[in-house]
Amino acid sequence: MRKLEQDVDESATTPPGAVAVTILDWNGKDDPDNPRNFSLKRRIMSTAATTLLAFVSTLGGSMYAPSHDEVSQQFGVSDEIAILPLALYNAGLAFGPLFGAPLCETFGRKVVYLTTTPIFALFIVGAGFSKSAVSLVICRFFAGVFAAPAIGNASATITDYTAGRYRGVSLAFYYSIPFFGAVCG
């Protein structure tokens, strides 16, 4: 990857204190850092891994639904409170991209996936070992927040790896699999 610097014109139209603009670009068509130049096997495996993460994230949301009656009985709470962890997981999925998407653009998608996925898993395990309805609700909400980058940034990751003529097939594969996660839960 090469860095192109453009000097700022100090003319009357430039605001005072303007700085140089940095543009990042690939070092030609054969740049080994360009994801589209990775081997076919690596691109397919990356697409499959991203899709599997999204599947697990949607599965984690829906697998709670059949258990809300048992949660209500175990913790002695109303049905409305027992269904709250499901609703707050989905709220977490809604709030997660507010943080996950900018972090992916700043630090890279791989770093965000490798950071948020284990945290998501820890909150799911925490929800499983919860001793109260409050801890269950909190763990489920934060599990949703940390599951969100796996869903929200997956299409951008697949777009990075896939040339335009193959993108429709890759994205069709990706968009169909997470729906099965919701159904299987």
Side-chain angles (χ1 to χ4, degrees):
M1 185 171 271
R2 63 187 165 143
K3 190 159 109 174
L4 305 171
E5 301 255 341
Q6 293 180 347
D7 292 327
V8 175
D9 184 14
E10 295 292 332
S11 66
T13 59
T14 304
V19 295
V21 176
T22 303
I23 299 172
L24 296 176
D25 197 9
W26 302 115
N27 291 329
K29 293 187 124 196
D30 297 326
D31 188 349
D33 291 332
N34 186 342
R36 293 188 187 160
N37 293 333
F38 293 165
S39 69
L40 178 63
K41 180 181 176 184
R42 182 172 176 186
R43 289 182 285 153
I44 289 172
M45 293 304 290
S46 295
T47 300
T50 303
T51 302
L52 183 61
L53 278 175
F55 172 81
V56 169
S57 297
T58 58
L59 179 70
S62 64
M63 69 182 354
Y64 175 82
S67 67
H68 82 277
D69 289 332
E70 288 82 13
V71 168
S72 177
Q73 291 173 356
Q74 182 175 349
F75 295 133
V77 295
S78 67
D79 284 338
E80 290 80 12
I81 299 299
I83 203 72
L84 193 58
L86 176 63
L88 286 181
Y89 184 91
N90 290 325
L93 287 177
F95 283 110
L98 296 173
F99 304 103
L103 290 173
C104 278
E105 295 301 322
T106 304
F107 299 108
R109 300 188 214 302
K110 183 177 180 181
V111 171
V112 173
Y113 288 139
L114 292 176
T115 303
T116 59
T117 302
I119 296 171
F120 158 70
L122 289 174
F123 277 113
I124 288 292
V125 169
F129 287 108
S130 291
K131 300 292 183 196
S132 69
V134 173
S135 64
L136 178 62
V137 167
I138 291 169
C139 285
R140 292 280 300 170
F141 173 74
F142 284 109
V145 169
F146 287 102
I151 298 170
N153 296 322
S155 59
T157 303
I158 292 170
T159 301
D160 288 345
Y161 280 97
T162 311
R165 64 179 174 235
Y166 304 116
R167 198 168 294 147
V169 172
S170 296
L171 289 174
F173 173 72
Y174 162 70
Y175 284 120
S176 63
I177 299 300
F179 286 114
F180 290 116
V183 170
C184 291

